[in-house]
Amino acid sequence: MRSFKETLKKIKWETYIWLMYLPFSAAFYLPARSWTDYFWLMMGAFLIVYILVTEVPRWRRVTIPLELLITGSFAVLSFNFYMIIFTAWQVAFILSTMPRRHFGWFLISYYVFLGLGIIRSLQTNLIAGVEYTINALGLIFPVLSPIMSYGFARSVQIRKQMSQNNRRLENLIRRGERDRIARDLHDTLGQSFSMITVKTELAQKLLEKAPERVSDELRDIAKTSRANLQLVRQIVADLHQQTLSEVLLEQGKNLAQARIFMFTEHEEAASKWPTEVQNCLAAVIVEAITNVIRHSRASQVWIKFNQVGENYHLEVQDNGHAKRLTRENANGITGMLQRVREQNGEFQISSNSIGTLVQVQLSKE
C-alpha cells in the first residue's frame, strides 16, 4: 500500500492535465465513415509515447521525435492541428531546463510539420483550407503553443530558483547571526569566565597563606558573575531583535503576497549600521509595511537608507491612496514614534503627491 502511494506521488500529474482535451481530437473523426477515420482513432500509440516521454527521461532522445512524428502526421496527413498542440506544451515544458539549442531544433521540426499541414490543407481544398487557417483555434494557438509553453516553463523555473535563493539567503543570515553570537560569547563571557577561574584558584591558595584576603577575591568573583549574568540577558534580548536584512527579507515576502513591489536603496550600507540603530529602524519598517499592506492600496513601496554625517536616515514611501494617516484605536504610528523617541530620534509621517511618506532620523549618540 505504501509503495502504491509513493508511486502516485512520483507521477507528474501536471503533465497529464492536457490529455483532458484528447476527446475533442477524437471527435474530429466521429462519426467514422472510412477506414482512415478508424485508423486515426487508434490513438493508443500516441498515449503510450506521451507517457514514456513524461515518465522515462532516458528514452527521450527517441520518444520525443517519435511523438512529434505521430502528432505531426495528424497535421500533415489528416489536417488535424489539435493533436500537435499536446506535443508543443509537453515537450517545450521539458526542454525548458535543457540547453536552448534542443528547444531550437524541436521548434524547427514542429513548425515544419505544422507548415506542411497548412500547405497541404490549402492545396487539397482551397476554400475549406482558407476557412480553417483563418480560424484562431485552428492556427494561432498551434503556432504559439510551443513558445507559450517554453516561456511559461522558464518563468516557473525562475520562480523556483528565486525561492531557493531566498531560502539560501535565510540560511546565510542565520549562519551570520550564529557567528556573531559566537564572537560575542568568546570576546565577553570567555574572558570573564577565565578571570573567574584565575580568581578562584587564587582564592584557594590564599585560603592557606592569607585567609584575610579571600573575602576580597570572593567579592570580585561575585561581582564578575553578576556582570556575566547581565551580559547573558543582554545577548538573549538581542536575539529577539531583527536586523535590517532579516526584516527586509521577511517583509519582501509579505509585500509579494499582497502584489506590492518593494524597492530599496543603500540596503547593503545600512546592514553595517550599529545594532541598536538597525533594531529601531527594523521595528519601524515592520509597522510601516504592515500599514502599507492593510490600508494604503499601494502597488509599490520604496525604502531608502542614508547616512549623513552623524545621523542615520530612513524613508518609507508608498504610492497608495490612504484616506487618513491616523485611525482611532490604532497603535501603529504611536508605537513607531515611541521607539524612535527612545533612541532620541525624530519621526515624521506625511502625505505627498506620490502617497504616504514615513521619515526617521537617528543619531549615533
Side-chain angles (χ1 to χ4, degrees):
M1 186 65 177
R2 178 179 297 178
S3 60
F4 177 72
K5 290 182 179 180
E6 292 177 353
T7 302
L8 290 179
K9 291 181 180 179
K10 292 180 181 179
I11 294 178
K12 300 179 178 64
W13 296 105
E14 67 276 5
T15 304
Y16 297 109
I17 192 173
W18 307 110
L19 295 179
M20 64 183 294
Y21 297 103
L22 192 59
F24 295 97
S25 295
F28 198 77
Y29 306 98
L30 295 175
R33 296 186 177 87
S34 63
W35 69 270
T36 55
D37 290 337
Y38 289 105
F39 173 77
W40 292 116
L41 285 172
M42 299 295 292
M43 297 179 182
F46 164 73
L47 285 175
I48 293 173
V49 176
Y50 189 94
I51 294 172
L52 289 176
V53 169
T54 302
E55 303 296 339
V56 188
R58 65 179 181 276
W59 290 358
R60 285 175 179 167
R61 289 190 176 184
V62 176
T63 54
I64 287 179
L66 181 59
E67 182 182 333
L68 182 59
L69 178 62
I70 294 173
T71 56
S73 299
F74 277 87
V76 175
L77 303 178
S78 182
F79 311 141
N80 181 347
F81 300 103
Y82 291 100
M83 289 296 296
I84 202 170
I85 296 175
F86 294 104
T87 303
W89 282 88
Q90 180 199 31
V91 175
F93 211 97
I94 292 173
L95 295 180
S96 66
T97 58
M98 299 181 182
R100 291 187 177 181
R101 65 178 183 275
H102 295 161
F103 177 69
W105 284 111
F106 167 74
L107 202 62
I108 292 173
S109 304
Y110 177 89
Y111 284 132
V112 167
F113 279 109
L114 192 61
L116 289 175
I118 294 173
I119 293 172
R120 286 199 71 249
S121 69
L122 292 172
Q123 292 175 343
T124 302
N125 188 338
L126 182 60
I127 297 177
V130 171
E131 291 178 350
Y132 191 80
T133 54
I134 64 175
N135 187 300
L137 293 177
L139 180 61
I140 295 179
F141 193 63
V143 169
L144 297 180
S145 286
I147 299 175
M148 292 169 59
S149 175
Y150 187 81
F152 176 73
R154 292 290 297 176
S155 66
V156 170
Q157 295 298 328
I158 291 173
R159 285 197 296 269
K160 286 183 178 179
Q161 291 178 356
M162 291 179 62
S163 178
Q164 291 174 347
N165 290 336
N166 286 338
R167 288 195 294 269
R168 295 188 186 108
L169 182 58
E170 290 175 355
N171 292 332
L172 288 175
I173 291 175
R174 286 194 290 267
R175 175 62 182 270
E177 187 65 16
R178 289 197 297 267
D179 292 342
R180 184 184 67 81
I181 295 171
R183 289 194 300 268
D184 290 344
L185 292 175
H186 178 270
D187 296 340
T188 56
L189 292 181
Q191 182 179 0
S192 297
F193 282 124
S194 297
M195 185 181 299
I196 290 175
T197 301
V198 171
K199 284 186 171 293
T200 302
E201 293 175 351
L202 178 60
Q204 289 178 341
K205 294 179 180 179
L206 291 176
L207 190 60
E208 299 177 355
K209 299 180 179 180
E212 66 280 0
R213 295 176 54 189
V214 172
S215 58
D216 294 334
E217 297 298 331
L218 292 178
R219 279 193 294 270
D220 288 342
I221 292 173
K223 182 179 179 180
T224 304
S225 297
R226 285 192 293 270
N228 287 347
L229 180 59
Q230 184 62 30
L231 183 60
V232 170
R233 289 173 177 170
Q234 183 61 44
I235 292 176
V236 172
D238 290 342
L239 291 178
H240 292 290
Q241 303 291 335
Q242 288 184 306
T243 64
L244 288 175
S245 298
E246 292 172 326
V247 165
L248 292 174
L249 183 62
E250 180 181 349
Q251 296 305 316
K253 292 180 180 179
N254 295 337
L255 289 169
Q257 291 177 354
R259 297 185 178 181
I260 300 174
F261 291 94
M262 181 180 74
F263 306 93
T264 64
E265 292 185 14
H266 307 128
E267 177 183 342
E268 183 177 356
S271 65
K272 301 176 183 179
W273 289 356
T275 302
E276 60 274 10
V277 173
Q278 291 195 46
N279 292 341
C280 180
L281 297 182
V284 172
I285 291 173
V286 170
E287 189 59 43
I289 296 300
T290 301
N291 290 337
V292 170
I293 295 174
R294 290 180 178 177
H295 309 297
S296 72
R297 294 177 295 171
S299 60
Q300 297 178 347
V301 59
W302 296 267
I303 302 177
K304 301 179 182 180
F305 303 95
N306 195 18
Q307 181 177 355
V308 180
E310 300 293 320
N311 297 321
Y312 302 98
H313 295 265
L314 166 69
E315 290 186 4
V316 181
Q317 171 76 65
D318 65 55
N319 65 340
H321 307 281
K323 296 181 179 179
R324 293 181 298 174
L325 297 180
T326 60
R327 294 173 178 81
E328 295 181 1
N329 300 323
N331 299 320
I333 295 178
T334 303
M336 288 189 285
L337 181 59
Q338 290 177 349
R339 288 178 180 275
V340 173
R341 286 181 175 176
E342 288 175 358
Q343 298 293 328
N344 297 322
E346 297 179 6
F347 175 86
Q348 182 179 359
I349 182 170
S350 59
S351 296
N352 54 26
S353 59
I354 302 175
T356 302
L357 173 64
V358 174
Q359 295 175 297
V360 176
Q361 177 180 306
L362 299 178
S363 59
K364 282 188 176 182
E365 296 181 358

